[in-house]
Structures are given as structure tokens and as C-alpha cells.
Amino acid sequence: MQSLNPEDRLQLARMIVNLLDEWGVEPAGQVLLLGLPEETKPRSMARYGRDLPLPEDAEVMERVEHLVGIADALRTTFPRNARMGTLWLNQRNNRFNDRVPLDVMLEDGLAGVIAVRAHLDCAFDWDMSGSKA
């Protein structure tokens, strides 16, 4: 992801906090999913949703890119009901050894986020596997 100016990072922060809120992710989980610094207080997530831009950090931006990819894949998978994506993220799934996809992302970090995206987004999974046409 290319370098973003502070205003773009602010818009991205608002969008991603709103998305994570819709998914039912608590502020402490939001800090984990975004890979924010350890000292980030969960209560600061409200500021990211209002007036604090995301840090200019490559790992944070990579995580945001994957989370947006997951949201897009959920919209494609469930085009008629946006709430189904949230439901899917919060139900046990055989693909993840009967774990909840959201828990996979929270517990396994970036690898878990990538695993959930790869499961939902076959084009992303295809690119990851190195099987380019």
C-alpha cells in the first residue's frame, strides 16, 4: 500500500473502526487486529473513529488492506444481506478447526487475518499460492 497523507489515513481510520464495530469487535480486539503498538489503549479506538489518523506503519497498513479485502469478500459472498458477513465471522467454521473466524484473526495475528481472507477471497488465495495465469 502506498504512503497516505494524514487526511487519507484519518478517513481510513474512520472507515476501519466503523467496520470493526459492525463486526462486533471490542476496542481491545481492534487494537490487536490493526497491529497497533502495545501501549495503545483500547479507549483510543474511539479517537481513531473520530479525529486520529492511523499511524504511518507498514504492518498497520497491511492489516487494514487485508481487513478491507475480507469486508469486500463478505459483501460478495452475501450480497443480499450485509449482516450475514458479521454472522459468518462469529460462527464456528470447519475450515478453521471449528474455531470462529474472528477468533482466528484475534488469536493468530496477521497469519490469522490472512487465513480468513484467503478462505473468503479465492482470487487472493490464488495469487498467494503463486498460481498466476
Side-chain angles (χ1 to χ4, degrees):
M1 186 177 269
Q2 67 182 14
S3 181
L4 301 174
N5 66 45
E7 183 58 34
D8 289 340
R9 286 186 287 116
L10 176 60
Q11 293 301 321
L12 195 55
R14 290 174 178 159
M15 188 262 321
I16 203 72
V17 168
N18 185 48
L19 174 69
L20 295 175
D21 284 342
E22 286 176 15
W23 288 353
V25 181
E26 297 293 326
Q30 293 178 14
V31 171
L32 285 174
L33 280 179
L34 292 171
L36 295 172
E38 268 186 42
E39 65 273 3
T40 304
K41 303 278 189 244
R43 68 177 178 261
S44 68
M45 293 312 299
R47 285 205 53 222
Y48 283 111
R50 285 192 320 267
D51 59 8
L52 183 63
L54 287 172
E56 195 168 5
D57 178 85
E59 184 176 340
V60 171
M61 290 298 118
E62 179 181 5
R63 287 168 176 262
V64 166
E65 185 177 341
H66 288 303
L67 293 168
V68 169
I70 289 168
D72 287 343
L74 287 169
R75 275 190 290 277
T76 301
T77 303
F78 305 108
R80 298 182 190 268
N81 188 342
R83 290 182 298 212
M84 285 299 297
T86 299
L87 189 64
W88 184 89
L89 282 169
N90 287 285
Q91 287 188 340
R92 294 188 182 282
N93 188 302
N94 290 339
R95 166 68 169 83
F96 302 112
N97 296 322
D98 212 31
R99 292 169 65 202
V100 173
L102 194 52
D103 289 346
V104 170
M105 294 191 295
L106 289 167
E107 294 166 6
D108 298 352
L110 182 56
V113 172
I114 291 170
V116 170
R117 183 177 182 191
H119 175 71
L120 286 167
D121 185 347
C122 60
F124 174 76
D125 190 35
W126 181 264
D127 284 344
M128 273 185 40
S129 70
S131 303
K132 298 181 183 184

